Amino acid sequence: MLQKRQVLADHVFEAVLSLLLDGEVATGSALSIDGLAKRFDVSSTPVREALARLESTGMVRREALRGYKVTAGPTAEDVTDLLVTRQVLEPAMTALACKRADDNFVAELRAINAELERSRHGGESFVGYRPYWKADELFHRHIAEYANNEFLLRAYGSVEGHIQRFRLLVHNDEVSGEHTIGEHQVIINAFADRDETAAKEAMTAHIAAITARAVDLPVFNKPNEQDSV
Amino acid sequence: MLQKRQVLADHVFEAVLSLLLDGEVATGSALSIDGLAKRFDVSSTPVREALARLESTGMVRREALRGYKVTAGPTAEDVTDLLVTRQVLEPAMTALACKRADDNFVAELRAINAELERSRHGGESFVGYRPYWKADELFHRHIAEYANNEFLLRAYGSVEGHIQRFRLLVHNDEVSGEHTIGEHQVIINAFADRDETAAKEAMTAHIAAITARAVDLPVFNKPNEQDSV
DNA sequence: CCGTACCAAATCGTGTAGGATGCAGGATAT
DNA sequence: ATATCCTGCATCCTACACGATTTGGTACGG
């Protein structure tokens, strides 16, 4: 029984989100309302509300009278489209964030990147990779929030879950981690210099580098058989 | 009752959304679950599901154990932030759409702009303005969809409701309508020429013009007293 | 006489339980 | 082999119970 003093629907939302983000449920599989209700020992109403919220994130899809299903794994085209979207949003937000950057903000970014470095060697295991994801996600989200634009943040948030799912595809990769940390460093340095143009270009370069590394992903090399009629 | 009806929650969602987009409920006012349930003659469950979905659009806000409220009317800062966001998203999507543009697409845009011209003289009344909004919204959405990027479209969709609410502030304005139609025409011509750069710049100019016209809005001139503790 | 703190009842959000409806898959008959 | 019916099951909705919040009134203190 989940008994923290908050609303049950919030906990179910978080719990299901963790299931999805940690890849503990197969893509495309059905999410039964009653099943989740029993799993978390609540009734169906909170589950229903949580799933309705999750639908807006695109992580699950709903068919009327047929229930919810986990969104199918991304195709090569999806990965490309997602990175194009990041290329549209994040450099713009980086430039805005740089306008407001102060020493404290730069210090926070350095701390996050240090955490990234520390957790990079977490390792071989799947769960050990989790702190690395979280740190990477936090780095980008911190900049997004600092841009101080409610609507840009909303737009970013609408694809943030998919970015996280993309990270699952990459798994642990020592080389990729090394590049990521270095690229982040360039961005941080631009923030430290209050150089808006440099910061924007550094973020653009970072995402371009992610894109370049993405072509090694399995979805780009294997013909994907997960498309069903 | 039409057989088209799928699930009650969908209808409640549409109904409440219309209430919000048509400005039939005051900004900041409370949305009672039971009240809406009685109003649409359903029970509370479909209403709750509809409101949970609406929350993700930002049109309503939820406080745990305190219910839902219509999001407060935009401040001057909100309007500025929203237009900055459009400036980030829409030119990029316009460029992508231009890559795929064919004669049929251009014809459809011309038809939408013709509808805009036709409904511009609808008039003085409030409801007569509705076809004008819908045509303007459709013009931008049509381009957004044609960009053929699921995630960019999702990001655009996450702020689309707010754009629509912004249109409510403008009310009917003959001069503004004339400018809008002309600016759309420039965009369409660029599409017809398959000139990606020109299309992108035309969209940028269009949103910049909207921004310039926005400074005449009441929220920029009156101290807004709608912020309550 | 006015302001403040406290208390009580109404109100509304939240969660549970149960029943009705519609979909999916398999068996049977043609 | 195709079509039809039937059974199991999950979704969807309603009705009710609980608990938290808010509000209006009252009493106390200044």
Side-chain angles (χ1 to χ4, degrees):
Chain A
M1 173 85 89
L2 297 167
Q3 256 202 356
K4 281 185 187 174
R5 273 311 177 208
Q6 216 179 352
V7 176
L8 285 183
D10 294 333
H11 285 108
V12 176
F13 179 85
E14 296 289 341
V16 177
L17 191 61
S18 292
L19 255 58
L20 297 171
L21 261 39
D22 292 350
E24 293 181 19
V25 291
T27 58
S29 63
L31 282 177
S32 161
I33 292 178
D34 287 344
L36 290 173
K38 288 191 175 179
R39 177 168 187 165
F40 299 119
D41 196 32
V42 296
S43 93
S44 60
T45 300
V47 175
R48 201 170 271 286
E49 195 167 328
L51 287 176
R53 283 191 235 169
L54 277 169
E55 192 194 3
S56 70
T57 69
M59 309 280 292
V60 304
R61 294 199 189 285
R62 170 181 167 279
E63 284 178 81
L65 300 177
R66 292 190 54 185
Y68 291 86
K69 295 204 303 186
V70 182
T71 303
T75 65
E77 187 188 351
D78 288 337
V79 172
T80 303
D81 285 354
L82 181 60
L83 286 164
V84 167
T85 303
R86 294 188 68 175
Q87 201 65 275
V88 169
L89 286 174
E90 297 203 53
M93 299 179 87
T94 302
L96 289 174
C98 192
K99 282 185 182 169
R100 302 180 63 244
D102 55 17
D103 291 341
N104 185 43
F105 176 64
V106 173
E108 286 169 349
L109 286 183
R110 288 200 197 282
I112 295 170
N113 215 31
E115 169 66 22
L116 204 63
E117 169 72 32
R118 201 175 319 122
S119 59
R120 181 161 76 90
H121 307 291
E124 318 296 318
S125 76
F126 204 68
V127 290
Y129 193 33
R130 197 173 196 279
Y132 180 83
W133 299 336
K134 300 301 284 183
D136 190 26
E137 181 177 33
L138 186 57
F139 181 85
H140 287 272
R141 164 154 276 269
H142 208 62
I143 294 173
E145 286 177 351
Y146 213 78
N148 199 35
N149 182 315
E150 175 191 349
F151 304 101
L152 274 174
L153 184 60
R154 178 176 295 279
Y156 177 73
S158 72
V159 297
E160 195 175 19
H162 291 275
I163 296 174
Q164 188 57 29
R165 271 168 57 108
F166 165 78
R167 291 193 180 98
L168 281 175
L169 294 180
V170 181
H171 290 88
N172 205 342
D173 186 334
E174 285 283 326
V175 180
S176 162
E178 196 171 312
H179 288 161
T180 298
I181 292 166
E183 289 155 17
H184 283 188
Q185 201 62 51
V186 177
I187 297 169
I188 295 174
N189 288 340
F191 274 122
D193 295 343
R194 310 290 191 276
D195 188 336
E196 194 180 318
T197 307
K200 182 174 184 175
E201 285 176 0
M203 180 61 84
T204 302
H206 177 37
I207 300 173
I210 296 173
T211 306
R213 290 193 289 269
V215 298
D216 292 331
L217 291 177
V219 287
F220 278 91
N221 302 321
K222 286 189 211 162
N224 55 331
E225 63 276 13
Q226 58 199 350
D227 284 334
S228 58
V229 189
Chain B
M1 179 87 63
L2 218 59
Q3 285 284 9
K4 155 183 176 272
R5 131 183 184 183
Q6 288 201 339
V7 286
L8 288 182
D10 292 333
H11 284 111
V12 176
F13 179 84
E14 296 289 341
V16 178
L17 190 61
S18 291
L19 281 164
L20 297 172
L21 260 40
D22 292 350
E24 293 181 19
V25 290
T27 59
S29 63
L31 283 178
S32 160
I33 292 178
D34 286 344
L36 291 173
K38 287 190 177 179
R39 177 168 186 164
F40 299 119
D41 196 33
V42 295
S43 113
S44 62
T45 301
V47 175
R48 253 186 275 177
E49 194 168 330
L51 287 175
R53 283 191 237 168
L54 277 170
E55 191 195 5
S56 69
T57 69
M59 308 280 292
V60 304
R61 295 203 188 285
R62 181 186 106 97
E63 285 178 82
L65 301 177
R66 292 190 55 184
Y68 292 86
K69 295 203 302 185
V70 182
T71 304
T75 64
E77 187 187 351
D78 289 336
V79 171
T80 303
D81 285 354
L82 180 60
L83 286 164
V84 167
T85 303
R86 294 187 70 175
Q87 202 64 276
V88 169
L89 286 173
E90 297 204 52
M93 300 180 87
T94 302
L96 289 173
C98 193
K99 283 185 182 170
R100 302 180 63 244
D102 55 17
D103 291 341
N104 184 44
F105 176 65
V106 173
E108 286 169 349
L109 285 184
R110 287 199 198 282
I112 294 170
N113 215 31
E115 169 64 23
L116 204 63
E117 169 72 31
R118 202 175 319 122
S119 59
R120 181 161 76 91
H121 307 291
E124 317 297 317
S125 76
F126 204 68
V127 289
Y129 193 33
R130 197 173 195 277
Y132 180 83
W133 299 334
K134 300 301 284 183
D136 190 26
E137 180 177 35
L138 186 58
F139 182 85
H140 287 272
R141 165 154 274 269
H142 207 61
I143 294 172
E145 287 177 352
Y146 213 78
N148 198 35
N149 183 315
E150 175 192 348
F151 304 102
L152 274 175
L153 184 59
R154 176 176 297 279
Y156 177 74
S158 72
V159 296
E160 195 176 18
H162 292 275
I163 296 174
Q164 187 57 31
R165 274 172 50 112
F166 165 77
R167 291 193 180 98
L168 282 176
L169 294 181
V170 181
H171 290 87
N172 204 343
D173 185 336
E174 286 283 324
V175 181
S176 163
E178 196 171 311
H179 288 161
T180 298
I181 292 166
E183 288 155 17
H184 284 188
Q185 200 63 52
V186 177
I187 296 169
I188 294 174
N189 289 339
F191 274 123
D193 295 343
R194 309 288 191 278
D195 188 337
E196 195 180 316
T197 306
K200 183 174 183 175
E201 284 176 0
M203 180 60 84
T204 301
H206 176 39
I207 300 174
I210 295 172
T211 306
R213 290 193 288 269
V215 297
D216 291 332
L217 290 178
V219 287
F220 278 90
N221 302 321
K222 286 188 209 161
N224 55 330
E225 64 276 11
Q226 59 201 347
D227 284 332
S228 59
V229 191

